Amino acid sequence: MNAEIIAVGSELLLGQIVNTNARFLSQQIAGLGIDVFFHTVVGDNPARLKASIEQAERRSEIIIFTGGLGPTKDDLTKETISRHLGKELVMDESALASIELFFKRTNRIMTENNRKQALVLEGSLVLPNDHGMAPGMVLESGDHLYMLLPGPPKEMEPMFLRYGGHALSSFACSNEKIVSRVLRYFGIGEAALETEIIDLIDAQNNPTIAPLAGDGEVTLRLTAKHVDEIKAQSMLDEVEHTINQRVGDFFYGYDNTTLFAELTKSLKERNLTITAAESLTGGLFQQEITSIPGASSVFKGGVVCYSNDVKQQVLQVKQETLEKHGAVSEQCAQELAENAARIFATDIGISFTGVAGPDDLEGKPVGTVYIGISIKGRPTHVEKLNLGGTREANRNRAVKFGCYFILKYIKDSQNAK
Amino acid sequence: MNAEIIAVGSELLLGQIVNTNARFLSQQIAGLGIDVFFHTVVGDNPARLKASIEQAERRSEIIIFTGGLGPTKDDLTKETISRHLGKELVMDESALASIELFFKRTNRIMTENNRKQALVLEGSLVLPNDHGMAPGMVLESGDHLYMLLPGPPKEMEPMFLRYGGHALSSFACSNEKIVSRVLRYFGIGEAALETEIIDLIDAQNNPTIAPLAGDGEVTLRLTAKHVDEIKAQSMLDEVEHTINQRVGDFFYGYDNTTLFAELTKSLKERNLTITAAESLTGGLFQQEITSIPGASSVFKGGVVCYSNDVKQQVLQVKQETLEKHGAVSEQCAQELAENAARIFATDIGISFTGVAGPDDLEGKPVGTVYIGISIKGRPTHVEKLNLGGTREANRNRAVKFGCYFILKYIKDSQNAK
C-alpha cells in the first residue's frame, strides 16, 4: 500500500512558497505504516492536473491532494477530480452552515463564490475545517483512495491530524507501524563513516540505514517496520548499538538536536560556565550558544577580538606573543582562552584564531585554525585544524569543532573520575 | 521552453527535510523567463527514478535534478541517468584533483568511494562545486537539457548562481538576451511596497517585476528580454528609476548584496570604525559584519554582554541604571553604545538589548528591543522596536534594523553637509 502527494498551486512553481505540506504529510503517513513514493507539484492548470492524477493512479493506491480548494477562479482541484471521476459536486449543508457562521462571527459579507467552497464530491466523506472555510474530502473510487486537503498549513495540518489520519489507516488497514530515528555525527566525513559500517548498510533491510551529509555533519536515519511499535523501537536500539560500537566517538545526539543544544545541556548538567574570545569567528560561537533558550545560565558574555589591539588591551595577550608567534598561533590561542576565562570568571574559556580567507594571513594559509580550550583545573588544550573551505564554511566548521572538543573533554574528564 | 525539477532523496519522502531546493530553483528559472510546470520528488530507487525521468522527458525540455550525487551507495542519480541515456561515466580529472586537494588540505584520508564523486557523464559540461565535493553536470541529449546539481543547498545554490544559470539561459534563449536585476529593500513590508507600485506590477510585461519577501526584507526582481543586451539593461534602468522615485527611501542595494556588505562599504568610504555591545543578539551583529571579507579595516572588536555583571564590569553600565530602568531600557542601550565606542576607541558604537523570547524579561514582553547608536560628535540615538516574532527572528531582525539605522544616519549626516 503506497501513497502519493500532489500539491496544487502555481505559487509553488514560481518559488513564492515552500511545499512544507509534503513534509508534514510524509511524516504522518510514514507513521501509519504507508510508504510514500512520490511528491508532485503541479500548477493551477486543469490539463496538467488531470495528467498528474492519471499518472498517480498508475503507481499509487492513495492519492492525497493539497491546495486548490479556495473560492477563486484558479482553485480547481475538486472540479478537475469531479470531471475525471465523473462524480457530481453537491452542496454540503453543514460545510455551508459553518462558512456562513464564519462570516457572521467576523462581521464580513459573504460573497457568492464562498458558497463554492461548500461544494463536495458526491459520496465523499467530508472532513470539517476547524481553522478555515474549505472542507476536506475523502473518496474511495475504483482501487484508489482520494483525499483532498486545503493548502494553508494551519488548516491542513489540524484537519489531517484530527480527521484525515483515521480515514487513511482504515483504508490501508495496515497494522504495521514505521518508526524512525536520526543519529547525528560530527568529526567524521560521510564517506569515512559509511566505510566503517558498509557491511551493515549492504545487509540492511528492516531496519533500513540511510546516511545523509550536510553542514560538516553526517546523520544516519534508521527506520524500522513492525506491528508492535515497542518491538520496532527495540530493533532500532539494536542497530544503533552495533553502529555506535564502531563510530560512537563521533556520535553526539538524536533527531533534530544540534551541537550547541548538546553543549548547553551538558554544561548545565555539570554547573559549568563558559566564555569565548573570538578572532577568526567574529562572534559566531557566542551567537550560536545564545541562540539556545536559557543559555544565560551557562554563558555570561565574551569578547570579539578581531584586531591585535583588542587582543592585547582587552584580553591581555602578551605583545611578545604577537610579535614572536603572530595572532594565528598556538600560543595566542592559549593566552586568549586562559585570559578570557579569568576575566569573565568562568569555568571554561574557548578561543578561536585563524585564517578565514579569502586571503592568507601572517604567511599562514586560508583554513589554518587554532582553538584554545581552557578548563578550570586542567591543562589548556590547543587544537589545530586545517579547513579547506570558503570563509563562511571555515568559520562555521571552526565553531562546530570548538563545540565538539568541549563536549569530548568534559565527557572524558567525567569518565576519568 | 519549460523546465521540471526532480529532487532525488528518500529523506524528502520521509519528511526528514523540506524541499527548499525546488523553491530556490523555481525562483531562479522564472527569472530566466523559463516556465516550470512540475516539481517531482522521488526516493533513492533506480526504477522509480528512471520512470520519473521518462515521464519528465515527455513533458519538459529542461530536466533539473537535485541530490543523489554523494559518495555513498544510495546516491545514484548520475548512475541512473548514465544507464538511461547510454552515456558512460568518466573520471573528471579536475574534479578529482579538487577532491584530493580538499582531503590534503583538511589532513583527512580520502576513501575510495570519494573518487566516485568525480565521475561525470561523458560529454557533459562539468559545473565546479566551490563549497563541497560533488561536481554538477549539464548535458544536452536529444531535444533535452539535463542538469544535475548536488542536494545540499549550501553547495547547490552557489553552483547554480555562478555556473548553472548561464548554461540554462543559453540553451533556452535563441537570440533574445534575458537580463535580470534584483532591487533590495529593508524597513518596508511586502504588502506596503506592492501597494506603492501596484499599477506598475499590473501593467508589467517586459520588463517583468516580481516581488519576493523573506528574512524581513523585500526584493523586486526585474527581468527584461531584448536582442540587444544594452537595450535590455536600459529598460531595467528605466523601471528601476520609476520604482525608486516612490520607494527609494527603503532601497539599499542590488542583487546578492546584504545590509552588512553595504554597511561595511559605506564605513570604509568614510573611514569610520565601529564596535558593538550585544546583549539581546549575543554576537550576531559582530558575526555578520566579520563575515564580510576585509571587515577588519572598520571593525576591531566588541563585547557580548549577556549578563548584567558583564554590562557593569566590562562595559561600565551604571548600577543605578540597571536597578532603576533594567537592562532592557533606553538608558542601558545608550550607556552600552557610548561606553563601547569609548572603550574600543571607535567612531561608532552600537548596542542591542531586549527580550528575544521565549519568555518575558523584567516585565517587558517578548520582542521589545532597544538599539543604541552612538556616532562620534553627535547625540546618541536609541531606537525602540516591538518585534513579535520567534527568538531567532527577533535577533535577526534586530541586527538588520541596527545595520539599516546606521546606514541611514551616516547617509543623512553626509547629505546634511
Side-chain angles (χ1 to χ4, degrees):
Chain A
M1 182 72 62
N2 66 78
E4 172 154 2
I5 300 165
I6 300 179
V8 186
S10 298
E11 65 275 20
L12 287 157
L13 295 179
L14 286 164
Q16 285 162 355
I17 57 172
V18 181
N19 187 12
T20 56
N21 287 344
R23 182 211 194 153
F24 171 85
L25 289 169
S26 296
Q27 286 174 332
Q28 294 298 322
I29 293 165
L32 298 172
I34 300 166
D35 291 319
V36 176
F37 284 158
F38 296 96
H39 297 167
T40 301
V41 177
V42 59
D44 304 313
N45 174 290
R48 286 194 285 275
L49 175 54
K50 188 175 194 305
S52 299
I53 297 169
E54 287 164 350
Q55 155 205 297
E57 288 167 337
R58 287 192 293 270
R59 60 192 189 187
S60 307
E61 289 89 4
I62 298 169
I63 308 171
I64 301 179
F65 301 85
T66 59
L69 300 183
T72 64
K73 276 205 158 37
D74 62 359
D75 293 304
L76 40 75
T77 301
K78 64 190 175 191
E79 291 75 5
T80 307
I81 294 170
S82 156
R83 275 192 300 278
H84 172 66
L85 295 178
K87 302 273 183 187
E88 288 298 311
L89 285 172
V90 297
M91 184 60 63
D92 182 71
E93 291 310 327
S94 73
L96 182 60
S98 71
I99 291 173
E100 286 166 344
L101 183 67
F102 177 85
F103 277 92
K104 199 171 287 138
R105 266 205 313 257
T106 54
N107 295 325
R108 287 164 49 206
I109 291 90
M110 178 168 162
T111 55
E112 185 52 31
N113 56 359
N114 289 114
R115 290 178 57 86
K116 165 175 179 275
Q117 293 191 282
L119 290 171
V120 300
L121 293 160
E122 65 174 324
S124 64
L125 165 70
V126 177
L127 309 178
N129 188 333
D130 299 334
H131 298 79
M133 287 187 283
M137 283 155 260
V138 180
L139 181 68
E140 286 189 40
S141 175
D143 311 335
H144 294 92
L145 181 96
Y146 304 81
M147 179 178 286
L148 289 67
L149 299 169
K154 69 175 185 26
E155 299 178 22
M156 184 281 289
E157 295 182 5
M159 181 185 288
F160 185 88
L161 290 173
R162 187 162 176 193
Y163 310 105
H166 307 306
L168 269 196
S169 40
S170 64
F171 176 79
C173 62
S174 158
N175 45 8
E176 258 194 341
K177 296 271 173 298
I178 295 186
V179 297
S180 192
R181 180 184 305 175
V182 176
L183 310 182
R184 309 190 69 90
Y185 298 86
F186 185 81
I188 182 171
E190 183 182 19
L193 184 138
E194 190 186 273
T195 309
E196 291 293 322
I197 60 170
I198 189 66
D199 56 323
L200 302 176
I201 291 176
D202 289 345
Q204 71 176 322
N205 167 24
N206 182 23
T208 57
I209 305 170
L212 180 69
D215 295 348
E217 303 190 20
V218 188
T219 63
L220 292 175
R221 191 190 62 246
L222 313 180
T223 308
K225 284 189 188 187
H226 197 282
V227 288
D228 175 1
E229 187 162 348
I230 288 120
K231 172 61 180 161
Q233 288 291 358
S234 71
M235 288 159 71
L236 293 186
D237 296 340
E238 211 169 293
V239 185
E240 177 185 335
H241 180 70
T242 316
I243 292 171
N244 279 349
Q245 275 181 322
R246 305 184 190 181
V247 291
D249 287 353
F250 305 98
F251 173 77
Y252 77 84
Y254 295 98
D255 300 324
N256 295 321
T257 188
T258 66
L259 278 162
F260 280 92
E262 294 300 315
L263 176 63
T264 312
K265 204 171 83 202
S266 354
L267 292 176
K268 269 190 193 151
E269 288 167 359
R270 296 167 173 77
N271 287 312
L272 295 172
T273 57
I274 186 168
T275 187
E278 300 188 68
S279 178
L280 169 79
T281 49
L284 181 58
F285 182 89
Q286 300 172 79
Q287 193 289 106
E288 289 282 2
I289 200 164
T290 55
S291 70
I292 309 292
S296 54
S297 62
V298 300
F299 176 78
K300 306 300 171 193
V303 176
V304 178
C305 48
Y306 215 53
S307 73
N308 284 1
D309 292 355
V310 174
K311 289 184 183 74
Q312 280 186 60
Q313 283 150 35
V314 180
L315 286 159
Q316 301 159 21
V317 171
K318 297 197 208 76
Q319 179 152 10
E320 180 203 349
T321 304
L322 296 172
E323 284 166 356
K324 212 166 125 199
H325 306 287
V328 180
S329 66
E330 182 177 346
Q331 293 77 358
C332 183
Q334 175 167 348
E335 289 183 37
L336 285 172
E338 291 170 353
N339 298 354
R342 197 183 60 251
I343 293 165
F344 285 84
T346 56
D347 303 304
I348 302 174
I350 185 166
S351 68
F352 298 88
T353 180
V355 189
D359 306 319
D360 292 359
L361 190 69
E362 300 178 349
K364 289 133 189 164
V366 171
T368 309
V369 174
Y370 292 93
I371 301 177
I373 297 165
S374 154
I375 302 179
K376 186 174 274 176
R378 300 176 54 189
T380 302
H381 299 266
V382 176
E383 300 276 355
K384 184 181 185 201
L385 302 173
N386 301 293
L387 306 174
T390 62
R391 181 178 178 88
E392 189 195 0
N394 290 337
R395 288 156 52 102
N396 285 321
R397 299 201 61 207
V399 296
K400 286 187 170 184
F401 268 107
C403 223
Y404 169 74
F405 290 138
I406 300 172
L407 278 168
K408 211 157 123 247
Y409 296 146
I410 58 183
K411 218 179 282 165
D412 294 352
S413 66
Q414 192 176 47
N415 300 345
K417 281 171 194 156
Chain B
M1 183 71 63
N2 65 78
E4 171 155 2
I5 299 166
I6 299 179
V8 186
S10 299
E11 64 274 15
L12 286 157
L13 295 179
L14 275 151
Q16 193 187 3
I17 57 174
V18 182
N19 187 11
T20 55
N21 287 344
R23 183 217 188 143
F24 171 85
L25 288 169
S26 295
Q27 285 173 351
Q28 294 297 322
I29 293 166
L32 298 173
I34 300 168
D35 291 320
V36 176
F37 284 156
F38 296 96
H39 297 169
T40 302
V41 178
V42 59
D44 304 314
N45 174 292
R48 287 193 284 274
L49 175 54
K50 186 175 196 304
S52 299
I53 298 168
E54 286 164 349
Q55 154 203 298
E57 286 167 339
R58 288 192 292 270
R59 61 193 189 185
S60 307
E61 288 89 2
I62 298 169
I63 308 172
I64 301 179
F65 301 84
T66 59
L69 300 183
T72 64
K73 276 207 155 15
D74 64 356
D75 293 304
L76 39 76
T77 302
K78 65 190 175 192
E79 290 75 3
T80 306
I81 294 170
S82 156
R83 276 191 300 278
H84 172 66
L85 296 179
K87 303 271 183 189
E88 288 297 312
L89 285 173
V90 295
M91 184 59 64
D92 183 69
E93 291 310 327
S94 73
L96 182 61
S98 70
I99 292 172
E100 286 166 341
L101 183 66
F102 178 85
F103 278 91
K104 195 173 291 136
R105 267 199 313 235
T106 53
N107 289 334
R108 286 164 49 203
I109 292 92
M110 178 166 163
T111 53
E112 186 52 31
N113 50 2
N114 286 115
R115 292 177 55 87
K116 165 175 179 280
Q117 294 192 283
L119 289 172
V120 300
L121 293 159
E122 64 174 325
S124 65
L125 166 70
V126 177
L127 309 178
N129 188 335
D130 299 335
H131 297 79
M133 285 187 280
M137 284 155 258
V138 181
L139 181 68
E140 284 189 44
S141 175
D143 310 336
H144 293 93
L145 181 94
Y146 304 80
M147 179 177 288
L148 286 68
L149 299 169
K154 279 194 157 66
E155 300 177 22
M156 185 280 290
E157 295 182 4
M159 181 186 288
F160 186 89
L161 290 172
R162 185 158 178 198
Y163 309 105
H166 306 305
L168 269 196
S169 39
S170 64
F171 177 79
C173 309
S174 49
N175 56 348
E176 259 196 340
K177 300 273 174 303
I178 297 182
V179 297
S180 188
R181 179 183 306 174
V182 175
L183 310 181
R184 309 190 70 91
Y185 299 86
F186 186 82
I188 183 171
E190 183 180 22
L193 184 137
E194 198 173 308
T195 309
E196 292 293 324
I197 60 170
I198 188 67
D199 56 321
L200 303 175
I201 291 175
D202 289 345
Q204 70 176 318
N205 166 23
N206 181 24
T208 57
I209 306 170
L212 183 70
D215 298 345
E217 303 190 22
V218 188
T219 63
L220 293 175
R221 174 180 287 279
L222 313 181
T223 308
K225 292 188 187 185
H226 197 282
V227 288
D228 174 4
E229 186 163 351
I230 288 123
K231 171 61 181 163
Q233 286 291 358
S234 71
M235 287 159 71
L236 293 186
D237 297 339
E238 211 170 293
V239 186
E240 177 186 335
H241 179 71
T242 316
I243 292 171
N244 279 350
Q245 276 180 323
R246 305 183 190 183
V247 292
D249 287 353
F250 305 98
F251 173 77
Y252 77 83
Y254 295 99
D255 300 323
N256 295 323
T257 188
T258 65
L259 278 161
F260 280 91
E262 295 301 314
L263 176 63
T264 312
K265 204 170 82 202
S266 3
L267 292 177
K268 268 191 193 148
E269 288 166 0
R270 296 167 175 78
N271 287 312
L272 295 172
T273 57
I274 186 169
T275 186
E278 300 189 67
S279 177
L280 169 79
T281 49
L284 181 57
F285 182 90
Q286 300 173 78
Q287 126 37 38
E288 289 282 2
I289 199 163
T290 55
S291 70
I292 310 295
S296 55
S297 62
V298 300
F299 175 78
K300 308 297 172 195
V303 176
V304 177
C305 48
Y306 215 53
S307 73
N308 284 0
D309 291 356
V310 174
K311 290 184 182 73
Q312 281 186 59
Q313 284 152 33
V314 181
L315 286 159
Q316 300 160 19
V317 171
K318 296 196 208 77
Q319 180 151 10
E320 180 202 349
T321 304
L322 295 173
E323 284 165 356
K324 214 167 125 201
H325 305 287
V328 180
S329 66
E330 182 176 348
Q331 292 76 359
C332 183
Q334 175 166 350
E335 290 182 37
L336 284 172
E338 292 170 352
N339 298 354
R342 195 182 64 252
I343 294 165
F344 285 84
T346 56
D347 304 302
I348 302 174
I350 185 166
S351 69
F352 298 88
T353 180
V355 189
D359 305 320
D360 291 2
L361 190 68
E362 300 177 351
K364 289 132 188 165
V366 172
T368 309
V369 175
Y370 291 92
I371 301 177
I373 296 165
S374 155
I375 303 180
K376 186 175 271 177
R378 301 175 53 187
T380 301
H381 299 266
V382 176
E383 301 276 354
K384 187 185 182 195
L385 304 173
N386 300 295
L387 308 172
T390 61
R391 182 179 176 86
E392 189 193 0
N394 290 336
R395 288 157 52 103
N396 284 323
R397 298 203 60 205
V399 296
K400 285 187 172 183
F401 267 105
C403 223
Y404 171 73
F405 290 137
I406 299 173
L407 278 168
K408 210 156 126 259
Y409 296 146
I410 59 182
K411 215 181 284 165
D412 294 352
S413 67
Q414 191 177 47
N415 300 345
K417 280 170 197 158

